[in-house]
Every structure is written in C-alpha cells, then in structure tokens.
Amino acid sequence: MKYEVSNRLIWFKGELLHVSDAKINVLAPTSQFGLNVFEGIPCYWNEEMQQLFAFRLEDHYERLIRSARLIQIDCPYNKTELTKALVDVVVANEYKENLSVRQTLFIDGFGSWGADGPTEMFVAPIPRGKTSAEYNKKGLHVCVSSWKRVSENALSPRIKCGANYINSRYGQREALRNGYDTCVFLNEYGKVSEGPGSCFFMVRNNRIVTPKFTDAVLESITRDTVIRLARNLGIEVEERTIDRTELYTADEAFLCGSAMELTPLLSIDRYDLGEAKISQNLHEAYLEVVSGKNKTFIDWLTKIY
Ligand code: PMP
C-alpha cells in the first residue's frame, strides 16, 4: 500500500515510523539552532524497467559526511548503512514515482549550539510533485538578490546545513515579495554565486559558464553532472568568476539542482533572456541519465527494487 505524504513512513532513529510519530524534542539543538546537515537525493522511476533509481548516492553521502565533519557533527553511519536506511524507507512506502529523499543528520538531546551529540538521523522520501513551487516551474523570472550569499569565512556555502538556508530564505522571500520566482545571489565580492537552492549556469557563444567552487557555491552534484554531460555532448564548459552585467547579456541561463533539475531562466532583473536551446538539450540529456535510459552513466544509479 502506498502511503499519503501526510501519513507516510519515515526512517527515524533506526525505526520505520509514521511521520506523525517521529518526534524531536523542542530543546534539541537541531530544533533550536538548526544544528543539522542533510542531503536531498533524487530518485527516478523508470516505467519500462519497473525500477526506481537513486542518483549518485555515493556522491551525496560523501558530501553529507564532509558537511558533518566541517561542523563537527559525528556521523555514526557508514555509506552502506546510509544506503540501507534510504532503500528500506522507500521500499516500505512502496513509492514507484520520482522522489526527493531528505536524509538528515541532526543533533538531538538537550545540549546547546555547541553540543557534540548525540547525532541521530531521519530519512524522509518526498514525492517530487510536493517539493517547492519554484522547483516545478518550466521557466523562471529571477532577480539579483539585495542579500549577499553566505561567505566562506562566516558560514561556508560548501556546507549543506539547515542554518545556511536562512540566507536562502532571505533571498527567496525577497524575490517573491517583489514579484519574481526566485533569485540569484552575488557573493561577498559582488560576483555571481548561486540561487537559494540551486547552482547557476549561463550560455555564452555556445559555451556554458558557471561560477567556480571558490565563488561561494555549494559543491552541487547536479552542477557536476551538467558539466560532465555537456563535455560528453561536445559543449565547452568554463568554470570562472561571473560579473553581474554578464547576467543581463547572456544568451541563455538556467538554475540547476537535484530538486529543480535544469530550469531555464526567462529573465534576470527583467532583462529577457534568449530561448533555452542548449539548456533544453542538457535538461533532456540529464533526464535520460537519471532515469537509466542512457547506459553510459549507469554507474551513477542505485537500484531501489
Ligand atoms: N546550491 C544550493 C544553495 C542548494 O541548496 C542546492 C540544492 N542542494 C544546490 C546548489 C544544488 O545542489 P545539488 O545539485 O547537489 O542538489
């Protein structure tokens, strides 16, 4: 039986529970200070093969462990255990559809923001249709945020922790207030960094260009996938610092992430962008890969069933 999202099973501290029975105390450092690190892991259903594929699990777990290490959250699980928890909870829900699986390590107990444990985990599959509205749009009108992206020497954007999403929230809420779908942040040096939950690419003279990791961006798995797919298709890729004015003269641009896939930008600060051609080709190539139809990249997929 497939469970409704409000009543689905989640993996919580080693057990499979109905989500409403999975409770965290209000004094836990994760509740009070956002002391957690997490991954959003995409899984794609292949109807023909009757199979659900988790995408680049190994890389998501590498990043989870790195994020935990950077803010000194002890990760008590190895990659085999992390994988088993994900597979168990998806299978228990009998999901046969595209998912984003939230896998979170958090500090439980009654300590302060400096507490070093206890570390616990939950794993919650979310059907794709239930993710944020901007993730399900065909094209986006974006603004450059008046807020700066978090910076390496304050709260590094390389760490995928709950607290970093307060900065994302600033940008996203401001964009919505002003009639845009979402935003692009500049970094502390005024150069282009990323979206609130996605990485930025532009197309210029048939090449794709994206900021470097040292320009204040998350080490995104979709960004890496796009770069590899582009090179495989013979499209040149540049990883370099991008100026603000380049946003307004780009031929095409898109945001990308596990939840958003590749979503073209229709305009930036109301400067219209060109038709998404290369962006669209790359998106199609991406969908072939994540759904197991392109066998060249089959090693990136883990079978759930
Ligand atoms: N940047 C930020 C700030 C994000 O939250 C995300 C989503 N995880 C991304 C980029 C894209 O990362 P990924 O491709 O690994 O989902």
Side-chain angles (χ1 to χ4, degrees):
M1 176 203 146
K2 193 181 125 182
Y3 294 93
E4 275 303 306
V5 279
S6 54
N7 197 27
R8 66 176 170 250
L9 296 173
I10 78 163
W11 190 105
F12 184 74
K13 300 188 188 181
E15 286 182 276
L16 292 170
L17 298 177
H18 281 103
V19 64
S20 51
D21 295 326
K23 299 206 165 81
I24 295 175
N25 93 69
V26 292
L27 292 177
T30 186
S31 319
Q32 291 200 74
F33 309 110
L35 207 46
N36 56 62
V37 292
F38 69 98
E39 286 298 313
I41 301 167
C43 298
Y44 283 82
W45 176 245
N46 183 315
E47 184 65 31
E48 210 175 304
M49 296 169 79
Q50 290 291 297
Q51 184 57 264
L52 187 65
F53 292 111
F55 188 54
R56 299 189 67 170
L57 263 192
E58 171 89 13
D59 298 307
H60 278 283
Y61 292 148
E62 285 278 342
R63 186 172 65 186
L64 183 71
I65 292 165
R66 266 197 325 266
S67 294
R69 175 184 163 79
L70 283 166
I71 57 170
Q72 292 197 276
I73 290 181
D74 172 48
C75 178
Y77 305 100
N78 61 33
K79 285 185 200 154
T80 308
E81 292 161 336
L82 293 169
T83 305
K84 184 172 184 317
L86 178 138
V87 171
D88 285 354
V89 71
V90 173
V91 170
N93 281 286
E94 299 179 17
Y95 281 132
K96 295 187 171 173
E97 62 191 287
N98 299 345
L99 303 171
S100 171
V101 181
R102 176 67 43 82
Q103 191 148 359
T104 301
L105 294 171
F106 62 94
I107 301 289
D108 203 3
F110 298 91
S112 75
W113 44 264
D116 60 4
T119 308
E120 293 289 358
M121 179 167 76
F122 72 79
V123 193
I126 309 168
R128 264 193 67 91
K130 304 280 179 188
T131 52
S132 309
E134 79 267 20
Y135 292 163
N136 293 308
K137 291 200 169 166
K138 296 267 174 271
L140 301 165
H141 293 285
V142 311
C143 57
V144 172
S145 184
S146 73
W147 300 100
K148 297 276 184 282
R149 188 64 182 137
V150 281
S151 69
E152 174 65 10
N153 289 311
L155 195 56
S156 175
R158 181 170 283 117
I159 305 168
K160 194 165 166 65
C161 61
N164 277 4
Y165 284 81
I166 300 299
N167 176 240
S168 299
R169 178 181 169 88
Y170 279 12
Q172 181 62 24
R173 304 283 305 194
E174 178 190 55
L176 293 178
R177 270 199 314 279
N178 292 330
Y180 299 93
D181 297 308
T182 188
C183 69
V184 172
F185 286 103
L186 304 180
N187 63 24
E188 64 181 315
Y189 305 108
K191 303 300 180 186
V192 175
S193 68
E194 61 182 345
S198 51
C199 278
F200 174 82
F201 279 83
M202 66 179 183
V203 179
R204 240 187 128 167
N205 301 328
N206 297 317
R207 290 185 185 166
I208 61 168
V209 189
T210 194
K212 294 179 293 190
F213 281 149
T214 46
D215 287 329
V217 299
L218 181 73
E219 293 185 354
S220 152
I221 290 161
T222 318
R223 176 188 178 281
D224 182 69
T225 305
V226 168
I227 290 173
R228 297 222 213 168
L229 291 185
R231 290 196 171 129
N232 192 252
L233 291 170
I235 300 168
E236 272 185 63
V237 181
E238 272 184 70
E239 292 175 73
R240 65 160 174 84
T241 299
I242 297 177
D243 282 335
R244 178 175 185 160
T245 47
E246 292 186 274
L247 298 176
Y248 306 142
T249 52
D251 301 328
E252 302 176 32
F254 60 89
L255 289 175
C256 72
S258 304
M260 186 170 262
E261 298 175 346
L262 280 72
T263 305
L265 305 190
L266 304 172
S267 69
I268 305 180
D269 283 343
R270 304 292 179 209
Y271 285 90
D272 289 332
L273 293 174
E275 193 190 336
K277 289 184 192 147
I278 291 179
S279 314
Q280 196 59 43
N281 288 347
L282 284 168
H283 188 202
E284 281 162 20
Y286 177 84
L287 291 176
E288 295 276 303
V289 167
V290 291
S291 60
K293 290 175 191 152
N294 178 335
K295 303 298 177 221
T296 311
F297 297 95
I298 203 81
D299 289 350
W300 277 342
L301 306 184
T302 303
K303 287 179 184 165
I304 299 286
Y305 293 106

